[in-house]
Amino acid sequence: MESKKCFCDTGLLFENCCGLYLKNNQKAPTALALMRSRYSAYATYNADYLLETTYVSERQYYSEAEILKWATSNKWQKLEILSFTENTVEFKAYFLDANQKPQTDYEFSTFKFEDNTWYYLDGKFE
């Protein structure tokens, strides 16, 4: 199998970066690593991972079908980390929409650490 750079733009190979969490069932060690892996999950259409890494009380607001529709209707181009703390990540995700028009998604995400696991809690969007 061909080795490819990770979708999250660390410069590492996917198998040594987000692939550890998406394919090898390892837990992301930080909120930043979880956020990067969630971006890669969108790029690889892994709705199960996105739901599993969303905080339990927030999962009711998402569905696998909606996640897959959003993920597959866009061509993911680049992830830019603007800032981060222990439990927040500010980023821009660049993608081409269904009409191949360039788009930028800005988000300030909050994460929660519980039972030795990081979860996506919520985000503020622009």
Side-chain angles (χ1 to χ4, degrees):
M1 183 178 187
E2 180 184 337
S3 294
K4 294 187 177 184
K5 296 274 186 189
C6 194
F7 300 93
C8 78
D9 291 311
T10 56
L12 299 173
L13 294 177
F14 177 75
E15 64 202 31
N16 298 327
C17 192
C18 294
L20 296 172
Y21 318 121
L22 294 166
K23 303 238 182 245
N24 294 345
N25 294 322
Q26 291 185 27
K27 292 181 179 179
T30 64
L32 179 60
L34 179 62
M35 195 258 108
R36 287 183 175 281
S37 69
R38 287 174 57 85
Y39 176 85
S40 291
Y42 277 108
T44 58
Y45 317 136
N46 191 335
D48 287 340
Y49 182 81
L50 290 160
L51 285 172
E52 289 167 9
T53 58
T54 299
Y55 193 64
V56 176
S57 66
E58 302 300 307
R59 290 180 191 169
Q60 63 186 330
Y61 303 114
Y62 301 92
S63 77
E64 185 175 352
E66 288 172 356
I67 292 169
L68 279 174
K69 183 179 179 185
W70 169 251
T72 59
S73 66
N74 298 304
K75 185 175 180 189
W76 303 93
Q77 302 289 296
K78 177 183 163 187
L79 177 65
E80 179 183 7
I81 304 299
L82 302 174
S83 68
F84 63 93
T85 66
E86 182 183 23
N87 67 332
T88 65
V89 181
E90 181 182 19
F91 68 92
K92 288 183 180 178
Y94 299 87
F95 59 95
L96 300 176
D97 66 14
N99 298 317
Q100 298 299 298
K101 182 179 175 191
Q103 301 288 332
T104 303
D105 182 31
Y106 167 87
E107 185 173 340
F108 184 87
S109 299
T110 304
F111 297 83
K112 184 174 179 86
F113 190 69
E114 186 173 278
D115 296 329
N116 261 350
T117 304
W118 281 103
Y119 294 97
Y120 171 77
L121 186 59
D122 59 21
K124 295 177 185 159
F125 307 91
E126 275 185 11

